[in-house]
Amino acid sequence: VTLLKDATQRQMEKEIGRFGKSLRDGGVGLFFYAGHGMQVNGTNYLIPIGANIEAEEDIKFESVDANRILAKMEAAGNDLNMVFLDACRNNPFARSFRSSNKGLAQMDAPKGSFVSFATAPGSVAADGDGRNGLFTGQLIKYMQTPELPLTRMMMEVRKGVLRESEDKQTPWDVSSLTG
């Protein structure tokens, strides 16, 4: 387990590289991100601490492409990988961006992968009132249920978020699980 809090772009990229190497040993890969994220031209980016984003063209140089995580998982070739992204927020740089895409874009899940988003593609997630967003709060609640299969757990998470958000936020996932 590697924990990064308030990480810079360089720290994030370095740890994602280490993560990819450790997956080659086999087992299950799990990547969880709670923080700011946005899409530009259909690509999702995770925004690190200290990102200097003044215009749309800065995003790919100042943040981390979320596809980098999936690429590391795919290259490892292990049987099961999971990605949870609680990162769908309004674009704080919208005035200086040409595109006005909200939330994160749909992502493909490589074979044996499960990717879960705090809300549907193109939608915005609520931050929540407590320490965690609505999605992360529900995820923490249901992941502690013994013997609950992943797909069933995510249905319970989705129902909980829908209930708490008064049907304004629907967690979304994409899967290519084979077992």
Side-chain angles (χ1 to χ4, degrees):
V1 174
T2 300
L3 173 66
L4 292 180
K5 285 186 176 184
D6 300 328
T8 65
Q9 179 191 24
R10 186 166 177 79
Q11 289 169 324
M12 288 174 69
E13 289 176 348
K14 184 177 179 181
E15 288 305 322
I16 290 168
R18 285 185 188 156
F19 175 65
K21 286 178 186 170
S22 71
L23 289 176
R24 292 182 197 156
D25 295 335
V28 174
L30 175 93
F31 182 90
F32 174 83
Y33 177 82
H36 200 86
M38 65 174 58
Q39 68 161 302
V40 174
N41 299 321
T43 300
N44 294 322
Y45 295 95
L46 308 179
I47 311 300
I49 293 297
N52 184 19
I53 300 170
E54 295 179 9
E56 190 171 315
E57 57 271 12
D58 295 332
I59 192 82
K60 63 183 171 184
F61 302 108
E62 295 287 330
S63 61
V64 176
D65 185 335
N67 287 311
R68 184 179 196 128
I69 294 112
L70 293 176
K72 295 291 184 184
M73 290 176 155
E74 188 173 25
N78 54 351
D79 292 332
L80 175 60
N81 293 299
M82 296 173 281
V83 176
F84 296 90
L85 299 175
D86 191 354
C88 311
R89 306 291 189 260
N90 267 327
N91 179 351
F93 315 106
R95 287 189 202 130
S96 58
F97 278 38
R98 291 181 296 275
S99 62
S100 59
N101 296 329
K102 290 183 179 180
L104 296 181
Q106 178 75 33
M107 293 173 74
D108 293 325
K111 186 180 101 192
S113 296
F114 177 86
V115 182
S116 184
F117 303 89
T119 193
S123 297
V124 178
D127 286 327
D129 297 328
R131 181 174 177 225
N132 300 302
L134 297 179
F135 175 72
T136 298
Q138 291 296 312
L139 191 61
I140 290 169
K141 177 180 177 181
Y142 287 104
M143 69 189 303
Q144 297 178 53
T145 305
E147 304 298 320
L148 185 63
L150 177 62
T151 52
R152 183 72 194 158
M153 179 187 79
M154 292 313 298
M155 286 185 228
E156 296 302 321
V157 168
R158 188 173 295 114
K159 287 191 286 189
V161 171
L162 281 163
R163 186 175 49 252
E164 282 191 41
S165 70
E166 299 175 345
D167 289 337
K168 293 179 183 135
Q169 180 178 333
T170 306
W172 195 262
D173 53 67
V174 60
S175 169
S176 66
L177 294 177
T178 55

